[in-house]
Amino acid sequence: MKKTILITGCSSGFGKLAAEHLAKQGHTVFATLRNTQGKNKEVAEEIKAYGEKNNLKIYVVDLDVTSETSIQKAMDEITAKAPTIDVLINNAGYGNIGLQEAFTISSAQQMFDVNVFGILRMNKAVLPIMRKQKSGLIINLSSGVGRLVFPFGGIYAASKHAVEALTESLRLELAPFDIDSVAIEPGGYGTTGFNAAIQFPDDKNVLESYGSYAEAPYKMMQAYASSLTEQPDPMEIVTIMEELINAPFGSRKVRYPKANVAEMLHPLNKVSEEIQGQLGFDKLVFNFYQS
């Protein structure tokens, strides 16, 4: 069954790859990205050309997840073409690395504005449609560091831990409406452009006070990069998206780890799901809904 899919962050990486692939499978795809007439004009035209060449239902829409005005304008454009939205893929996001103290508060706020509040804004825009149609799927791009942490990545990990909490809580809240909320937890995919967009500390005074130790985050990154014998294929993540989209409600798990973090996360996620299940909130929510 073909679906209407809205994807954020389609300027590169998983977002762009997913938009083109899912459209090729016959779905109607709204590929959203910001600055389609500026910085991202070239990639916007590239996605449009791909759709026209292959006769696909793929529409490029300008959308900035940090702006409610931009989101509302985009939603007006989208709903004029498609009355229903079956799938929302919250893919927009970026990372940072460095000494936690050396990031200004404003730079940390900017990250949460995209990685966390961007998801909240998009959910608020799409959920009224999904609740009305009593069906839907929200896929959040989390990360392996949404469950684990590493030194010099605390702010980014904190944003992804927040994504995990939002995903699981929303899943419980919306189960009576046959709406699923799931998180995909990728490891490192060096070919997606993610690394090129990583932000670094911006408080120079703090960096200077740490002396040579301030270089530790960059040395760790270099050591990690050199330890990889091969880069995982980002299509693995798109394949998970496709499988989730085709799966019926009630059959999806809450978390899907992939690549070099999967082995570590499977046991952690299993224990978490067992404990969460013992709390019985799923049954409680249905009781509230029926009363």
Side-chain angles (χ1 to χ4, degrees):
M1 188 173 178
K2 303 311 176 186
K3 306 287 181 69
T4 299
I5 304 169
L6 193 168
I7 309 174
T8 66
C10 292
S11 61
S12 64
F14 300 133
K16 182 173 183 291
L17 197 61
E20 294 175 345
H21 177 78
L22 293 173
K24 206 164 186 180
Q25 305 314 303
H27 300 293
T28 298
V29 175
F30 291 93
T32 74
L33 59 160
R34 60 179 181 167
N35 296 327
T36 57
Q37 297 303 311
K39 175 184 175 184
N40 290 321
K41 183 175 182 179
E42 186 176 337
V43 69
E45 293 298 331
E46 186 180 321
I47 295 171
K48 288 178 185 177
Y50 179 86
E52 291 169 0
K53 178 182 178 181
N54 295 283
N55 195 28
L56 306 177
K57 293 180 180 179
I58 183 168
Y59 305 98
V60 175
V61 180
D62 196 295
L63 187 153
D64 180 350
V65 299
T66 67
S67 167
E68 291 182 27
T69 301
S70 173
I71 292 172
Q72 186 56 59
K73 183 178 179 182
M75 290 301 299
D76 290 343
E77 182 178 342
I78 291 167
T79 54
K81 289 186 175 74
T84 65
I85 296 176
D86 302 300
V87 182
L88 168 62
I89 301 178
N90 284 312
N91 170 72
Y94 68 95
N96 66 18
I97 188 168
L99 292 161
Q100 192 173 130
E101 183 190 351
F103 285 98
T104 60
I105 297 301
S106 62
S107 65
Q109 288 174 329
Q110 287 169 12
M111 166 159 284
F112 272 73
D113 203 19
V114 176
N115 291 7
V116 181
F117 296 114
I119 288 178
L120 286 171
R121 292 185 189 100
M122 289 305 304
N123 290 352
K124 283 179 69 66
V126 169
L127 280 175
I129 298 171
M130 290 184 173
R131 285 190 289 107
K132 185 177 180 180
Q133 65 197 27
K134 283 192 174 291
S135 66
L137 169 63
I138 295 175
I139 300 174
N140 291 328
L141 263 292
S142 180
S143 168
V145 299
R147 305 290 276 164
L148 305 170
V149 297
F150 62 93
F152 317 120
I155 296 174
Y156 176 58
S159 75
K160 291 303 183 178
H161 272 66
V163 170
E164 294 280 340
L166 293 175
T167 301
E168 190 156 15
S169 178
L170 191 66
R171 178 184 180 89
L172 292 167
E173 293 174 24
L174 296 179
F177 299 89
D178 287 359
I179 299 171
D180 254 338
S181 172
V182 304
I184 298 178
E185 301 166 335
Y189 285 82
T191 60
T192 60
F194 177 84
N195 291 345
I198 285 178
Q199 302 290 307
F200 299 99
D202 52 343
D203 191 327
K204 293 183 173 144
N205 291 331
V206 172
L207 283 172
E208 289 174 4
S209 72
Y210 270 93
S212 61
Y213 185 57
E215 297 298 317
Y218 314 110
K219 291 178 180 177
M220 188 185 73
M221 277 186 67
Q222 291 169 356
Y224 172 73
S226 62
S227 70
L228 297 176
T229 55
E230 60 180 347
Q231 291 287 352
D233 184 356
M235 267 303 295
E236 295 174 344
I237 300 301
V238 178
T239 299
I240 294 174
M241 293 178 185
E242 185 177 10
E243 291 172 351
L244 287 168
I245 289 166
N246 292 330
F249 176 80
S251 68
R252 305 177 183 107
K253 297 183 296 182
V254 64
R255 294 181 175 89
Y256 291 82
K258 196 63 181 176
N260 51 352
V261 297
E263 294 282 329
M264 295 176 279
L265 292 190
H266 280 309
L268 176 62
N269 289 343
K270 181 180 179 182
V271 171
S272 174
E273 288 172 24
E274 288 174 355
I275 294 173
Q276 193 71 50
Q278 290 170 11
L279 295 175
F281 287 129
D282 51 345
K283 297 181 181 65
L284 191 66
V285 166
F286 273 98
N287 288 339
F288 286 145
Y289 182 70
Q290 292 168 355
S291 62

